[in-house]
mmCIF file of all heavy atoms in Angstrom:
data_model
loop_
_atom_site.group_PDB
_atom_site.id
_atom_site.type_symbol
_atom_site.label_atom_id
_atom_site.label_comp_id
_atom_site.label_asym_id
_atom_site.label_seq_id
_atom_site.Cartn_x
_atom_site.Cartn_y
_atom_site.Cartn_z
ATOM 1 N N TRP A 894 138.630 133.513 134.922
ATOM 2 C CA TRP A 894 137.767 132.391 134.401
ATOM 3 C C TRP A 894 138.228 132.019 133.032
ATOM 4 O O TRP A 894 138.341 132.855 132.084
ATOM 5 C CB TRP A 894 136.333 132.927 134.309
ATOM 6 C CG TRP A 894 135.356 131.956 133.731
ATOM 7 C CD1 TRP A 894 134.780 132.040 132.518
ATOM 8 C CD2 TRP A 894 134.914 130.782 134.273
ATOM 9 N NE1 TRP A 894 133.997 131.039 132.266
ATOM 10 C CE2 TRP A 894 133.977 130.138 133.385
ATOM 11 C CE3 TRP A 894 135.118 130.124 135.495
ATOM 12 C CZ2 TRP A 894 133.342 128.999 133.642
ATOM 13 C CZ3 TRP A 894 134.408 128.931 135.757
ATOM 14 C CH2 TRP A 894 133.569 128.386 134.826
ATOM 15 N N GLY A 903 123.960 129.679 127.014
ATOM 16 C CA GLY A 903 122.543 129.879 126.814
ATOM 17 C C GLY A 903 122.207 130.350 125.376
ATOM 18 O O GLY A 903 121.273 129.892 124.753
ATOM 19 N N TRP A 918 108.489 120.268 110.798
ATOM 20 C CA TRP A 918 107.351 120.463 109.918
ATOM 21 C C TRP A 918 106.314 119.371 110.123
ATOM 22 O O TRP A 918 106.613 118.323 110.767
ATOM 23 C CB TRP A 918 107.736 120.483 108.455
ATOM 24 C CG TRP A 918 108.471 119.357 107.956
ATOM 25 C CD1 TRP A 918 109.841 119.218 107.899
ATOM 26 C CD2 TRP A 918 108.009 118.067 107.452
ATOM 27 N NE1 TRP A 918 110.237 118.037 107.416
ATOM 28 C CE2 TRP A 918 109.053 117.293 107.143
ATOM 29 C CE3 TRP A 918 106.745 117.582 107.297
ATOM 30 C CZ2 TRP A 918 108.947 116.012 106.636
ATOM 31 C CZ3 TRP A 918 106.576 116.354 106.776
ATOM 32 C CH2 TRP A 918 107.678 115.561 106.443
ATOM 33 N N VAL A 922 96.575 115.347 106.204
ATOM 34 C CA VAL A 922 95.615 115.270 105.102
ATOM 35 C C VAL A 922 94.451 114.499 105.582
ATOM 36 O O VAL A 922 94.610 113.379 106.097
ATOM 37 C CB VAL A 922 96.206 114.572 103.802
ATOM 38 C CG1 VAL A 922 95.159 114.430 102.780
ATOM 39 C CG2 VAL A 922 97.397 115.342 103.333
ATOM 40 N N SER A 928 85.720 107.165 97.641
ATOM 41 C CA SER A 928 85.092 106.056 96.995
ATOM 42 C C SER A 928 85.918 105.741 95.661
ATOM 43 O O SER A 928 86.120 106.672 94.898
ATOM 44 C CB SER A 928 83.609 106.256 96.642
ATOM 45 O OG SER A 928 82.893 106.437 97.783
ATOM 46 N N SER A 930 85.883 102.995 92.311
ATOM 47 C CA SER A 930 85.077 101.937 91.640
ATOM 48 C C SER A 930 85.826 101.405 90.487
ATOM 49 O O SER A 930 86.604 102.097 89.861
ATOM 50 C CB SER A 930 83.739 102.542 91.143
ATOM 51 O OG SER A 930 82.878 102.942 92.210
ATOM 52 N N TRP A 931 85.555 100.179 90.235
ATOM 53 C CA TRP A 931 86.134 99.516 89.002
ATOM 54 C C TRP A 931 84.969 99.463 88.030
ATOM 55 O O TRP A 931 83.877 98.829 88.321
ATOM 56 C CB TRP A 931 86.632 98.136 89.341
ATOM 57 C CG TRP A 931 87.080 97.319 88.150
ATOM 58 C CD1 TRP A 931 87.460 97.716 86.944
ATOM 59 C CD2 TRP A 931 87.186 95.901 88.126
ATOM 60 N NE1 TRP A 931 87.735 96.704 86.148
ATOM 61 C CE2 TRP A 931 87.607 95.536 86.809
ATOM 62 C CE3 TRP A 931 86.952 94.905 89.089
ATOM 63 C CZ2 TRP A 931 87.846 94.216 86.487
ATOM 64 C CZ3 TRP A 931 87.168 93.610 88.668
ATOM 65 C CH2 TRP A 931 87.604 93.223 87.368
ATOM 66 N N VAL A 938 81.495 97.357 88.624
ATOM 67 C CA VAL A 938 81.767 95.968 89.016
ATOM 68 C C VAL A 938 82.096 95.790 90.459
ATOM 69 O O VAL A 938 81.573 94.939 91.154
ATOM 70 C CB VAL A 938 82.868 95.367 88.105
ATOM 71 C CG1 VAL A 938 83.189 93.978 88.515
ATOM 72 C CG2 VAL A 938 82.441 95.452 86.633
ATOM 73 N N ALA A 940 83.318 98.225 94.155
ATOM 74 C CA ALA A 940 83.487 99.520 94.708
ATOM 75 C C ALA A 940 84.069 99.435 96.071
ATOM 76 O O ALA A 940 83.719 98.493 96.865
ATOM 77 C CB ALA A 940 82.131 100.186 94.816
ATOM 78 N N ARG A 942 84.900 101.814 99.596
ATOM 79 C CA ARG A 942 84.475 103.094 100.216
ATOM 80 C C ARG A 942 85.253 103.209 101.560
ATOM 81 O O ARG A 942 85.196 102.269 102.346
ATOM 82 C CB ARG A 942 83.009 103.180 100.418
ATOM 83 C CG ARG A 942 82.561 104.513 100.978
ATOM 84 C CD ARG A 942 81.042 104.479 101.099
ATOM 85 N NE ARG A 942 80.554 105.709 101.608
ATOM 86 C CZ ARG A 942 79.798 106.535 100.931
ATOM 87 N NH1 ARG A 942 79.393 106.300 99.728
ATOM 88 N NH2 ARG A 942 79.401 107.702 101.463
ATOM 89 N N PHE A 948 95.838 111.055 107.298
ATOM 90 C CA PHE A 948 97.237 110.772 107.051
ATOM 91 C C PHE A 948 98.021 111.942 107.641
ATOM 92 O O PHE A 948 97.728 113.104 107.291
ATOM 93 C CB PHE A 948 97.573 110.553 105.576
ATOM 94 C CG PHE A 948 99.068 110.312 105.337
ATOM 95 C CD1 PHE A 948 99.668 109.139 105.729
ATOM 96 C CD2 PHE A 948 99.834 111.306 104.851
ATOM 97 C CE1 PHE A 948 100.990 108.937 105.551
ATOM 98 C CE2 PHE A 948 101.183 111.133 104.602
ATOM 99 C CZ PHE A 948 101.801 109.906 104.968
ATOM 100 N N SER A 951 105.342 113.989 110.078
ATOM 101 C CA SER A 951 105.953 115.160 110.655
ATOM 102 C C SER A 951 107.412 114.868 110.876
ATOM 103 O O SER A 951 107.837 113.649 110.968
ATOM 104 C CB SER A 951 105.281 115.571 111.920
ATOM 105 O OG SER A 951 105.320 114.548 112.895
ATOM 106 N N ASN A 956 113.976 113.328 114.055
ATOM 107 C CA ASN A 956 112.942 112.362 114.350
ATOM 108 C C ASN A 956 111.724 112.529 113.411
ATOM 109 O O ASN A 956 111.210 113.597 113.224
ATOM 110 C CB ASN A 956 112.408 112.540 115.804
ATOM 111 C CG ASN A 956 113.439 112.206 116.821
ATOM 112 O OD1 ASN A 956 114.225 111.271 116.663
ATOM 113 N ND2 ASN A 956 113.538 112.992 117.868
ATOM 114 N N SER A 958 107.853 110.921 112.037
ATOM 115 C CA SER A 958 106.750 110.117 112.489
ATOM 116 C C SER A 958 105.622 110.199 111.453
ATOM 117 O O SER A 958 105.530 111.142 110.668
ATOM 118 C CB SER A 958 106.184 110.581 113.813
ATOM 119 O OG SER A 958 105.703 111.907 113.777
ATOM 120 N N PHE A 959 104.795 109.134 111.423
ATOM 121 C CA PHE A 959 103.662 109.113 110.493
ATOM 122 C C PHE A 959 102.477 108.399 111.164
ATOM 123 O O PHE A 959 102.683 107.628 112.109
ATOM 124 C CB PHE A 959 103.984 108.436 109.176
ATOM 125 C CG PHE A 959 103.956 106.934 109.272
ATOM 126 C CD1 PHE A 959 102.761 106.240 108.874
ATOM 127 C CD2 PHE A 959 105.011 106.231 109.689
ATOM 128 C CE1 PHE A 959 102.761 104.853 109.046
ATOM 129 C CE2 PHE A 959 105.007 104.888 109.872
ATOM 130 C CZ PHE A 959 103.865 104.155 109.443
ATOM 131 N N GLU A 960 101.287 108.672 110.757
ATOM 132 C CA GLU A 960 100.071 107.995 111.188
ATOM 133 C C GLU A 960 99.115 107.959 110.018
ATOM 134 O O GLU A 960 98.823 108.935 109.367
ATOM 135 C CB GLU A 960 99.460 108.630 112.346
ATOM 136 C CG GLU A 960 98.257 107.857 112.864
ATOM 137 C CD GLU A 960 97.682 108.345 114.171
ATOM 138 O OE1 GLU A 960 98.427 109.092 114.938
ATOM 139 O OE2 GLU A 960 96.572 107.997 114.492
ATOM 140 N N PHE A 961 98.560 106.766 109.811
ATOM 141 C CA PHE A 961 97.519 106.525 108.790
ATOM 142 C C PHE A 961 96.325 105.897 109.434
ATOM 143 O O PHE A 961 96.574 104.890 110.223
ATOM 144 C CB PHE A 961 98.047 105.662 107.625
ATOM 145 C CG PHE A 961 96.945 105.162 106.681
ATOM 146 C CD1 PHE A 961 96.490 105.961 105.683
ATOM 147 C CD2 PHE A 961 96.412 103.909 106.866
ATOM 148 C CE1 PHE A 961 95.505 105.567 104.836
ATOM 149 C CE2 PHE A 961 95.405 103.487 105.994
ATOM 150 C CZ PHE A 961 94.951 104.288 104.977
ATOM 151 N N GLN A 967 84.711 99.580 103.380
ATOM 152 C CA GLN A 967 83.768 98.567 102.899
ATOM 153 C C GLN A 967 84.032 98.344 101.437
ATOM 154 O O GLN A 967 84.332 99.264 100.683
ATOM 155 C CB GLN A 967 82.301 99.080 103.095
ATOM 156 C CG GLN A 967 81.333 98.114 102.595
ATOM 157 C CD GLN A 967 79.870 98.470 103.068
ATOM 158 O OE1 GLN A 967 79.695 99.146 104.055
ATOM 159 N NE2 GLN A 967 78.915 98.065 102.284
ATOM 160 N N ILE A 972 78.196 92.061 90.832
ATOM 161 C CA ILE A 972 78.115 90.934 89.886
ATOM 162 C C ILE A 972 76.828 90.184 90.127
ATOM 163 O O ILE A 972 76.406 89.929 91.229
ATOM 164 C CB ILE A 972 79.316 89.979 90.186
ATOM 165 C CG1 ILE A 972 80.641 90.723 90.000
ATOM 166 C CG2 ILE A 972 79.215 88.713 89.258
ATOM 167 C CD1 ILE A 972 80.986 91.116 88.557
ATOM 168 N N GLY A 975 75.500 86.854 92.948
ATOM 169 C CA GLY A 975 76.066 86.837 94.334
ATOM 170 C C GLY A 975 74.987 86.896 95.397
ATOM 171 O O GLY A 975 73.995 87.647 95.154
ATOM 172 N N PRO A 978 76.016 91.323 98.344
ATOM 173 C CA PRO A 978 76.863 92.284 97.576
ATOM 174 C C PRO A 978 78.111 92.776 98.350
ATOM 175 O O PRO A 978 79.025 93.272 97.725
ATOM 176 C CB PRO A 978 75.940 93.371 97.205
ATOM 177 C CG PRO A 978 74.865 93.403 98.212
ATOM 178 C CD PRO A 978 74.699 91.961 98.599
ATOM 179 N N VAL A 979 78.138 92.689 99.655
ATOM 180 C CA VAL A 979 79.170 93.156 100.463
ATOM 181 C C VAL A 979 80.261 92.087 100.551
ATOM 182 O O VAL A 979 80.002 90.997 100.975
ATOM 183 C CB VAL A 979 78.732 93.550 101.891
ATOM 184 C CG1 VAL A 979 79.844 94.042 102.726
ATOM 185 C CG2 VAL A 979 77.639 94.613 101.806
ATOM 186 N N ARG A 983 83.036 96.193 108.246
ATOM 187 C CA ARG A 983 83.355 96.280 109.617
ATOM 188 C C ARG A 983 82.270 95.624 110.449
ATOM 189 O O ARG A 983 81.101 95.750 110.227
ATOM 190 C CB ARG A 983 83.534 97.743 110.037
ATOM 191 C CG ARG A 983 83.955 97.934 111.457
ATOM 192 C CD ARG A 983 84.230 99.386 111.686
ATOM 193 N NE ARG A 983 84.475 99.520 113.136
ATOM 194 C CZ ARG A 983 84.963 100.625 113.704
ATOM 195 N NH1 ARG A 983 85.291 101.607 112.920
ATOM 196 N NH2 ARG A 983 85.226 100.684 114.937
ATOM 197 N N ILE A 988 75.569 100.031 119.236
ATOM 198 C CA ILE A 988 75.868 101.038 120.229
ATOM 199 C C ILE A 988 76.600 100.554 121.398
ATOM 200 O O ILE A 988 77.411 101.290 122.032
ATOM 201 C CB ILE A 988 74.538 101.776 120.638
ATOM 202 C CG1 ILE A 988 74.854 103.116 121.412
ATOM 203 C CG2 ILE A 988 73.644 100.838 121.458
ATOM 204 C CD1 ILE A 988 75.388 104.147 120.476
ATOM 205 N N TRP A 992 84.272 98.380 120.178
ATOM 206 C CA TRP A 992 84.976 98.701 119.011
ATOM 207 C C TRP A 992 84.350 100.020 118.373
ATOM 208 O O TRP A 992 85.032 100.533 117.468
ATOM 209 C CB TRP A 992 84.972 97.602 117.967
ATOM 210 C CG TRP A 992 85.463 96.299 118.462
ATOM 211 C CD1 TRP A 992 84.687 95.243 118.765
ATOM 212 C CD2 TRP A 992 86.750 95.895 118.727
ATOM 213 N NE1 TRP A 992 85.504 94.195 119.196
ATOM 214 C CE2 TRP A 992 86.747 94.574 119.187
ATOM 215 C CE3 TRP A 992 88.016 96.568 118.635
ATOM 216 C CZ2 TRP A 992 87.932 93.949 119.585
ATOM 217 C CZ3 TRP A 992 89.188 95.871 118.982
ATOM 218 C CH2 TRP A 992 89.160 94.584 119.446
ATOM 219 N N LEU A 1014 106.519 101.244 116.138
ATOM 220 C CA LEU A 1014 105.682 100.863 115.030
ATOM 221 C C LEU A 1014 104.388 100.228 115.591
ATOM 222 O O LEU A 1014 104.498 99.303 116.383
ATOM 223 C CB LEU A 1014 106.388 99.889 114.080
ATOM 224 C CG LEU A 1014 105.673 99.463 112.797
ATOM 225 C CD1 LEU A 1014 105.428 100.689 111.886
ATOM 226 C CD2 LEU A 1014 106.487 98.441 112.008
ATOM 227 N N ILE A 1027 82.943 82.022 95.727
ATOM 228 C CA ILE A 1027 83.839 81.558 94.662
ATOM 229 C C ILE A 1027 83.313 81.971 93.291
ATOM 230 O O ILE A 1027 84.125 82.381 92.475
ATOM 231 C CB ILE A 1027 83.999 80.000 94.785
ATOM 232 C CG1 ILE A 1027 84.655 79.655 96.075
ATOM 233 C CG2 ILE A 1027 84.859 79.492 93.621
ATOM 234 C CD1 ILE A 1027 86.027 80.230 96.294
ATOM 235 N N LEU A 1030 84.158 85.624 92.742
ATOM 236 C CA LEU A 1030 85.635 85.800 92.563
ATOM 237 C C LEU A 1030 86.038 85.339 91.172
ATOM 238 O O LEU A 1030 86.833 85.949 90.474
ATOM 239 C CB LEU A 1030 86.353 85.007 93.643
ATOM 240 C CG LEU A 1030 86.350 85.669 95.017
ATOM 241 C CD1 LEU A 1030 87.127 84.801 95.970
ATOM 242 C CD2 LEU A 1030 86.886 87.054 95.009
#
Side-chain angles (χ1 to χ4, degrees):
W894 176 254
W918 54 267
V922 177
S928 297
S930 295
W931 173 22
V938 176
R942 183 180 181 116
F948 177 72
S951 61
N956 294 320
S958 65
F959 80 95
E960 182 173 342
F961 168 81
Q967 181 170 332
I972 301 291
V979 179
R983 183 176 176 165
I988 194 70
W992 306 104
L1014 186 60
I1027 298 300
L1030 288 178

